[in-house]
Amino acid sequence: MPQPEDPRILELRKMRAQALAGGGEERIAKQHAKGKGSARERIEGLLDPGTFNEIEPYITHQGDEMGLLKEKFLGDGVITGYGQIDGRTVYFYSQDFTIYGGTLSEMQSHKICRVMDLAVRNGTPFISLIDSGGARIQEGVRSMGGYAEIFRRNAQYSGVIPQIAVMLGPCAGGAAYSPALQDLVIMVEKQSFMFLTGPEVIKAVTGEVIDAESLGGAEVHMAVSGVAHISVPSEQAALQTVRRYLAYLPSNNVENPPYHQPASLPTQVDDSLNSIIPLDPGEPYIMHQVIEKIIDPGSFFEIQAAWARNAIVGLARIGGHTVGIVGQEPAVMAGVIDIDASDKMTRFVRFCDCFNIPLVTFVDSPGFLPGIAQEHGGIIRHGAKLLYAYSEATVPKICVITRKAYGGAYVVMSSKYLGTDVTYAWPSAEIAVLGAEGAANILFKKQIESAADPNAERKKLANEYREKFNNPYYAASTGYVDDIIEPRETRLKIIASLSALRDKYSPSPPRKHGNIPV
Ligand code: HXC
């Protein structure tokens, strides 16, 4: 005869069903009507099937400020737990907009901090799925203190485990500092926005009128502010992007990045590279194409593609191994280095160094951008960050000078004596303090002025200078480049260098931490 179900089990099932219901059918339908998934649907899209384990689903807010007691929801607006991505464990949280708009209460913060602590203790990546009205207004300082707890962990765990923020709805007020402290910020176009003060406050304080999308939507954070790293058209694409990104990374700072069987043989080289650099040094070419022809096919994961487009940063694989690519895009502003490009490259170099990702740098830059706005904007301070980052990085560093490496740009872009392990130059490389015309003007000012034909004299002297310095041979003769190679040899040379540098040991002097010029 079948036993009656234990009432305690029935009670648990009831509680579970209540926790699964979130803010209720009506609010979930509202979320769907906006084209957004529920917090639980998003978790399904993120993880390998059947690997989700929830933690603390019965937590509710505590207290009764402004009538809060009237409505208590299990989970308190956030789902936390762990699961797997491509067979590797990750910890995460997913804010539930159907409960108090996903806002952060003291207890929600406790839940989030709990999974952050477990992630760092177990050396796994941490993922934030963010969809929230910010601090829960009713809880006042308790919710703000909750944010402080999260920010502190974001900072302390930075460089220990990868932290990824996926923006799936609003992220208003100081809450935006949590994604800003993480390694990767992914935004969904026309669905997510981030700002410290919203359109209403801005209107009241400065009189400026703007809507939420134009103020802090994906497009603006991709192209103007540089706050977002990747934008995608849908939340499914955002979740897939997390999975793709993690495939390049180790789970923590003491592991090496995973190896992936390359789609092409390491020996497969692209002969067309030998004719990619125009004979006229003033003519641009596309560095993205150079990169694509050297890395494993289709492996480029570009970061901040729409911001500071004169610089390129992204992850890739060469011969199956993860590398961080840094470079200039000569087709944009001739690849000059300005304030934003310095910041973009600095952050990426430091990210790669945190997670044992070798750096491959492609250099083609006429130098730092001249101008009053740049000088007054602190280009010295910003450029210094890049010097700091390359000098500090102890991962294998390989540099390829494809064309221009002038003055400051030569030095900051992974130059040999910043500690770069291998420096290659293509025959098209021009390595000098200044371009030929500028150098002739300064060095031979009197001679040019007193010549019968100053223009012809300048041209003649510039040509002499060009022959001496605007090529890689002077640099190679003095040991400033290790080898001059044909462009089509680059892939093989990088693979060989990576293999030779795999066990690189480069300890730094002990210190609490450095003082990067932020
Ligand atoms: C409590 C909130 C809330 C908040 C929204 N809700 N924001 N509850 N505290 N901050 C609730 C609403 O009452 C509503 O409850 C539900 O969430 C959904 O909100 P709606 O307004 O109906 O949704 P929508 O029209 O989509 O607008 C979403 C929104 C808007 C853009 C996020 O709600 C908004 O502007 N909220 C305030 C944002 C804000 O200023 N936050 C504080 C930032 S300062 P019901 O019961 O109807 O479902 C901050 C300080 C952090 O975060 C400090 C750290 C340093």
Short mmCIF file of all heavy atoms in Angstrom, two decimals, residues 6-22 57-58 74:
data_model
loop_
_atom_site.label_atom_id
_atom_site.label_comp_id
_atom_site.label_asym_id
_atom_site.label_seq_id
_atom_site.Cartn_x
_atom_site.Cartn_y
_atom_site.Cartn_z
N ASP A 6 5.13 12.47 3.01
CA ASP A 6 5.52 13.18 4.22
C ASP A 6 5.17 14.67 4.07
O ASP A 6 5.59 15.32 3.10
CB ASP A 6 7.04 13.02 4.40
CG ASP A 6 7.54 13.63 5.69
OD1 ASP A 6 6.93 14.62 6.15
OD2 ASP A 6 8.55 13.13 6.22
N PRO A 7 4.38 15.22 5.01
CA PRO A 7 3.97 16.63 4.86
C PRO A 7 5.15 17.59 4.82
O PRO A 7 5.08 18.67 4.22
CB PRO A 7 3.09 16.89 6.09
CG PRO A 7 3.37 15.77 7.04
CD PRO A 7 3.83 14.60 6.22
N ARG A 8 6.28 17.17 5.43
CA ARG A 8 7.45 18.07 5.40
C ARG A 8 8.03 18.16 4.00
O ARG A 8 8.50 19.21 3.57
CB ARG A 8 8.52 17.57 6.39
CG ARG A 8 8.06 17.73 7.83
CD ARG A 8 8.92 16.96 8.77
NE ARG A 8 8.93 15.53 8.48
CZ ARG A 8 9.57 14.62 9.22
NH1 ARG A 8 10.25 14.98 10.28
NH2 ARG A 8 9.53 13.34 8.90
N ILE A 9 7.95 17.02 3.27
CA ILE A 9 8.42 17.03 1.87
C ILE A 9 7.48 17.90 1.03
O ILE A 9 7.91 18.69 0.19
CB ILE A 9 8.46 15.59 1.29
CG1 ILE A 9 9.31 14.67 2.15
CG2 ILE A 9 8.90 15.60 -0.18
CD1 ILE A 9 10.79 14.81 2.00
N LEU A 10 6.18 17.76 1.31
CA LEU A 10 5.21 18.56 0.56
C LEU A 10 5.42 20.05 0.80
O LEU A 10 5.35 20.87 -0.13
CB LEU A 10 3.77 18.16 0.94
CG LEU A 10 3.37 16.74 0.54
CD1 LEU A 10 1.98 16.41 1.07
CD2 LEU A 10 3.41 16.58 -0.99
N GLU A 11 5.74 20.37 2.05
CA GLU A 11 5.99 21.78 2.40
C GLU A 11 7.22 22.31 1.61
O GLU A 11 7.21 23.42 1.07
CB GLU A 11 6.23 21.88 3.92
CG GLU A 11 6.69 23.24 4.43
CD GLU A 11 5.64 24.33 4.28
OE1 GLU A 11 4.48 24.01 3.93
OE2 GLU A 11 5.98 25.51 4.49
N LEU A 12 8.26 21.47 1.55
CA LEU A 12 9.47 21.87 0.80
C LEU A 12 9.13 22.11 -0.67
O LEU A 12 9.54 23.11 -1.27
CB LEU A 12 10.56 20.80 0.92
CG LEU A 12 11.78 20.99 0.00
CD1 LEU A 12 12.51 22.28 0.35
CD2 LEU A 12 12.74 19.82 0.08
N ARG A 13 8.33 21.21 -1.22
CA ARG A 13 7.97 21.36 -2.65
C ARG A 13 7.21 22.67 -2.86
O ARG A 13 7.38 23.35 -3.87
CB ARG A 13 7.14 20.17 -3.11
CG ARG A 13 8.00 18.93 -3.27
CD ARG A 13 7.23 17.78 -3.85
NE ARG A 13 8.00 16.55 -3.74
CZ ARG A 13 7.47 15.34 -3.72
NH1 ARG A 13 6.17 15.19 -3.78
NH2 ARG A 13 8.23 14.28 -3.63
N LYS A 14 6.36 22.99 -1.89
CA LYS A 14 5.57 24.22 -1.99
C LYS A 14 6.50 25.44 -1.98
O LYS A 14 6.38 26.37 -2.77
CB LYS A 14 4.58 24.29 -0.81
CG LYS A 14 3.32 25.05 -1.14
CD LYS A 14 2.31 24.96 -0.01
CE LYS A 14 2.40 26.23 0.82
NZ LYS A 14 1.80 26.17 2.12
N MET A 15 7.44 25.38 -1.03
CA MET A 15 8.40 26.49 -0.92
C MET A 15 9.23 26.62 -2.20
O MET A 15 9.49 27.72 -2.69
CB MET A 15 9.37 26.24 0.25
CG MET A 15 8.73 26.33 1.61
SD MET A 15 8.43 28.04 2.11
CE MET A 15 10.07 28.54 2.62
N ARG A 16 9.64 25.48 -2.74
CA ARG A 16 10.44 25.49 -3.98
C ARG A 16 9.64 26.14 -5.11
O ARG A 16 10.16 26.96 -5.86
CB ARG A 16 10.82 24.07 -4.39
CG ARG A 16 12.05 23.61 -3.70
CD ARG A 16 12.66 22.44 -4.43
NE ARG A 16 13.91 22.08 -3.80
CZ ARG A 16 14.43 20.86 -3.82
NH1 ARG A 16 13.81 19.90 -4.47
NH2 ARG A 16 15.58 20.62 -3.25
N ALA A 17 8.36 25.73 -5.21
CA ALA A 17 7.53 26.28 -6.29
C ALA A 17 7.39 27.79 -6.11
O ALA A 17 7.43 28.56 -7.09
CB ALA A 17 6.16 25.62 -6.26
N GLN A 18 7.30 28.21 -4.86
CA GLN A 18 7.17 29.65 -4.57
C GLN A 18 8.45 30.39 -4.99
O GLN A 18 8.40 31.47 -5.58
CB GLN A 18 6.94 29.80 -3.07
CG GLN A 18 6.22 31.08 -2.69
CD GLN A 18 6.05 31.15 -1.17
OE1 GLN A 18 5.77 30.15 -0.52
NE2 GLN A 18 6.25 32.32 -0.62
N ALA A 19 9.60 29.79 -4.69
CA ALA A 19 10.87 30.42 -5.06
C ALA A 19 11.00 30.50 -6.58
O ALA A 19 11.51 31.49 -7.13
CB ALA A 19 12.04 29.64 -4.47
N LEU A 20 10.51 29.44 -7.26
CA LEU A 20 10.63 29.44 -8.73
C LEU A 20 9.71 30.48 -9.37
O LEU A 20 9.97 30.94 -10.48
CB LEU A 20 10.25 28.05 -9.28
CG LEU A 20 11.27 26.93 -9.03
CD1 LEU A 20 10.74 25.60 -9.56
CD2 LEU A 20 12.61 27.25 -9.70
N ALA A 21 8.66 30.87 -8.64
CA ALA A 21 7.67 31.79 -9.23
C ALA A 21 8.15 33.23 -9.33
O ALA A 21 7.52 34.06 -9.99
CB ALA A 21 6.37 31.72 -8.43
N GLY A 22 9.25 33.56 -8.69
CA GLY A 22 9.78 34.92 -8.75
C GLY A 22 8.75 35.94 -8.30
O GLY A 22 8.06 35.76 -7.30
N PRO A 57 18.01 29.90 -1.93
CA PRO A 57 16.80 30.37 -2.62
C PRO A 57 15.73 30.89 -1.67
O PRO A 57 14.78 31.53 -2.12
CB PRO A 57 16.29 29.12 -3.35
CG PRO A 57 16.86 27.97 -2.60
CD PRO A 57 18.15 28.42 -2.00
N TYR A 58 15.86 30.63 -0.34
CA TYR A 58 14.77 31.00 0.58
C TYR A 58 15.03 32.31 1.31
O TYR A 58 14.25 32.71 2.16
CB TYR A 58 14.53 29.86 1.59
CG TYR A 58 14.27 28.55 0.88
CD1 TYR A 58 15.15 27.48 0.98
CD2 TYR A 58 13.16 28.40 0.05
CE1 TYR A 58 14.94 26.30 0.29
CE2 TYR A 58 12.93 27.22 -0.64
CZ TYR A 58 13.82 26.17 -0.52
OH TYR A 58 13.60 25.02 -1.21
N LEU A 74 10.59 35.00 -1.96
CA LEU A 74 11.73 34.12 -1.71
C LEU A 74 12.83 34.42 -2.73
O LEU A 74 12.57 34.59 -3.91
CB LEU A 74 11.30 32.64 -1.83
CG LEU A 74 10.26 32.16 -0.83
CD1 LEU A 74 10.04 30.66 -0.96
CD2 LEU A 74 10.66 32.51 0.60
#
